[in-house]
Amino acid sequence: MKASACVLLGGSLVSAGAYAGKGPPPPLPGPVTTTTVPTDAHMTSIYGGLKWDLPGPLAPQLVVGVRHAKTQSDGDTWGVDFSFAFAFFESGFKPGKLRLKGFTGNEHVQGEIGAGWDFSKGAFFAGPSVNIPYVNLGVDWVLGSGLQPYGMIHTFGKPGVPPPNTVTTTTAAPPPPPPGS
């Protein structure tokens, strides 16, 4: 009995030395998954512009505004715009339209809907517009006066588009089945 215990103990020590520092083989690489997650950027811009009401005087109105846009890496853009137009060139400084707009679209073109107060007519107005880099075209419905188309050139261009966040993951392949199964 003592002899068999010694043989067992000695054999296990010898075999342990043969496998010392060695673990199981590394897993085989499995499928690779790449995921692109949109990122977004916020941009607030103070801008100036020249606006012409059609029909209207040849002298433009001066527009000062602030625009906040959120743009995703896929180009989707939305936000708000607040502006004030002034008659400045023709008959001195006179307030025109105070406007608040919401917009949505992509970095190249945004559809807008806005409303505000027309100080020159003493009336509420609302209407749609389209914005592309440096140009805005729209039409206002002024309460009591009807439709008033307009065009504007302005100083804000395209919103900045952030790069997408790409994540690549590799999952380990399942371990091979035990021998003999």
Side-chain angles (χ1 to χ4, degrees):
M1 177 91 167
K2 280 188 181 184
S4 62
C6 284
V7 169
L8 254 169
L9 182 59
S12 65
L13 288 175
V14 169
S15 66
Y19 291 105
K22 297 187 181 191
L28 299 172
V32 175
T33 305
T34 302
T35 306
T36 302
V37 180
T39 56
D40 58 317
H42 296 265
M43 183 175 170
T44 301
S45 304
I46 296 173
Y47 68 91
L50 298 175
K51 177 177 164 266
W52 289 267
D53 289 330
L54 306 170
L58 290 177
Q61 295 180 13
L62 178 64
V63 177
V64 177
V66 62
R67 186 174 181 92
H68 178 78
K70 180 178 179 181
T71 303
Q72 289 188 320
S73 55
D74 61 1
D76 288 347
T77 303
W78 62 94
V80 294
D81 184 301
F82 179 74
S83 65
F84 203 170
F86 303 92
F88 184 74
F89 298 104
E90 190 171 275
S91 57
F93 181 82
K94 291 182 183 174
K97 291 181 178 176
L98 181 66
R99 179 186 311 267
L100 179 64
K101 296 190 280 190
F103 60 89
T104 186
N106 60 42
E107 76 269 26
H108 303 290
V109 62
Q110 300 95 41
E112 304 174 322
I113 188 76
W117 184 257
D118 186 337
F119 286 92
S120 66
K121 294 190 172 49
F124 173 80
F125 70 91
S129 57
V130 174
N131 186 70
I132 60 175
Y134 306 106
V135 177
N136 185 270
L137 300 172
V139 61
D140 291 331
W141 176 75
V142 182
L143 189 64
S145 296
L147 296 177
Q148 184 176 39
Y150 66 90
M152 179 173 71
I153 56 173
H154 53 71
T155 58
F156 59 89
K158 289 183 187 179
V161 178
N165 184 15
T166 303
V167 179
T168 303
T169 56
T170 303
T171 54
S181 60

